[in-house]
Amino acid sequence: MASPPHRLRRILLGACALVVTLITAISAGVAWTWVSADVSTVGTTTFDQPLKIPPLADSTVDAEGTRTFSLDMRAGTTEFEPGRATETWGFNGSYLGPTLRAARGERVRVQVRNQLPEPSTVHWHGMHLPAAMDGGPHQMVDPGATWTPEWTVAQPASTLWYHPHPHGATEDHVRRGLAGMFLIDDAASTELPLPNTYGVDDIPVIVQDMRLRGNRFDGSHAIFRDIGFLGDRTMVNGTLTPYHQVGDELVRLRLLNGSTARIYTFAFDDARPFAMIGSDGGLLERPATVDRIQLSPGERAEVVVRVRPGERTVLRSEKLEAGLNFWGNRFAGGDDTFDVLELRAAAVLRPSPALPETLVPLSIPEGSESVVQRRFELTLAGINGVRMDMSRIDTTVTRGTTETWEVHNIDGMPHNFHIHDVQFRVLAYDGAPPPPELTGAKDTIFLPPNTAATLALRFDGPADPNTPYMYHCHLLWHEDAGMMGQFTVVEPGQQAATPPRHGH
Ligand code: C2O
Ligand code: CU
Ligand code: CU
């Protein structure tokens, strides 16, 4: 039997060994988490599935000229890979929804039927419309119920979209498949010589990331991902490994970041320049030549790319360059790269007219007419330090006025900022005049840590003191966690009413 000093030494040695083992295990775990935290599909994507083009939604026009669409929210199954059925949600189908299309000045009505097992809403992202028609968290539609908003389209040609907005469950509902495009046309854009044949030279490109575990969607958040859900593959219009055959020299892509948290930096595999012609709220004043475009969740960009006969070119998403630190970039998915969509040009291409030098005059406010300045500070803990409360109105604005909003990301992680009902002008971005791609109408803006944007916005819709609109981070898990506030548009001198806690 060992004498007491020997026993002590043995205990100490054992304890040391245990500590060393623990440290090794923890560092291996951290290293593994680090190494496995970036994904890339560049160079390994097979591009063997033809790109699905969401169908244009049917509609009927009644005697008064109102155009009526129907959207049924349903649960179903989708085969992203042949022979593997995944449970998904969709509008009028099993995944995503049809493209709604209407002209400026038209009266539209949408019959939204909820056939899901839980309450949801449908919000028209980017649309200028009365608050009661907005489809935010106060316009919940119960299972089995129908909600029929209607409004008059009163904004320029643009690429908008629709998706659910139930408070606390938006990330889940969008990730399961509930999203679609809403295109607006107007005379000014139709007269321009731009590619505009839907699905042929004018292509909806809804980009989402996903992860499959067996047959199921895996929506879990990995360790350290305080950005929310990040998938390990991308799809376009619900198509994994998509290719699209093109027959025209110029192809217009309507890019929508329909992901819940991922930020994309779109570029072509040969770094070819392309023209950006539109942002969230419509066409720019003139095309901007760029070789990459960054889109955070909810943002859109319309781009026109030239292809050569017989070639194949790949739209990619490159690493994020947003000034995040090493660790922050990795866990925000910023080191990830994706092959997104292959364009296959026909051997003989139809000639396309050259892009016009100028597009449309902008109708967003200049900022000089602003009567109120406000400041918004973003952190994951809330906007201006408070979490969303459906029964609290955070901001009351007066109909017919312009305001300047300064939005600061004072957090260590990326956020963005989306405002319902309006399209704003970016007066300054990160302390400088906005770059060309931020000069048009916007409703969502990306804000890396320690950046700020100054926005000019005009509230010219109808006042409704009883119904608020939302502003929020469009990283949907952040929104669900309470990075959202409410604003109400009132007539001069009027007070906003306190909304009921529940939106039913
Ligand atoms: Cu795209 Cu408040 O939403
Ligand atoms: Cu919105
Ligand atoms: Cu955020």
Side-chain angles (χ1 to χ4, degrees), residues 322-377:
L324 273 78
N325 65 35
F326 186 65
W327 191 260
N329 211 52
R330 168 78 39 124
F331 290 110
D335 290 341
D336 300 348
T337 51
F338 297 96
D339 272 346
V340 176
L341 170 66
E342 184 181 66
L343 297 179
R344 297 184 182 172
V348 179
L349 294 169
R350 284 181 289 270
S352 306
L355 281 185
E357 306 245 305
T358 58
L359 297 167
V360 295
L362 296 177
S363 48
I364 42 179
E366 301 281 347
S368 51
E369 63 277 51
S370 289
V371 294
V372 178
Q373 294 256 358
R374 296 181 202 270
R375 184 184 167 95
F376 296 86
E377 293 185 344

Side-chain angles (χ1 to χ4, degrees), residues 226-227 378-380 409 411 413-417 472-479 483:
D226 48 18
I227 193 161
L378 310 184
T379 68
L380 185 51
N409 178 358
D411 214 359
M413 68 183 85
H415 295 295
N416 70 8
F417 194 69
H472 56 90
C473 178
H474 216 289
L475 277 56
L476 297 181
W477 179 67
H478 292 181
E479 172 189 335
M483 277 193 79

Side-chain angles (χ1 to χ4, degrees), residues 123 125 161 163 165 418 420 472 474:
H123 164 61
H125 180 127
W161 67 300
H163 63 78
H165 217 298
H418 167 52
H420 286 209
H472 56 90
H474 216 289

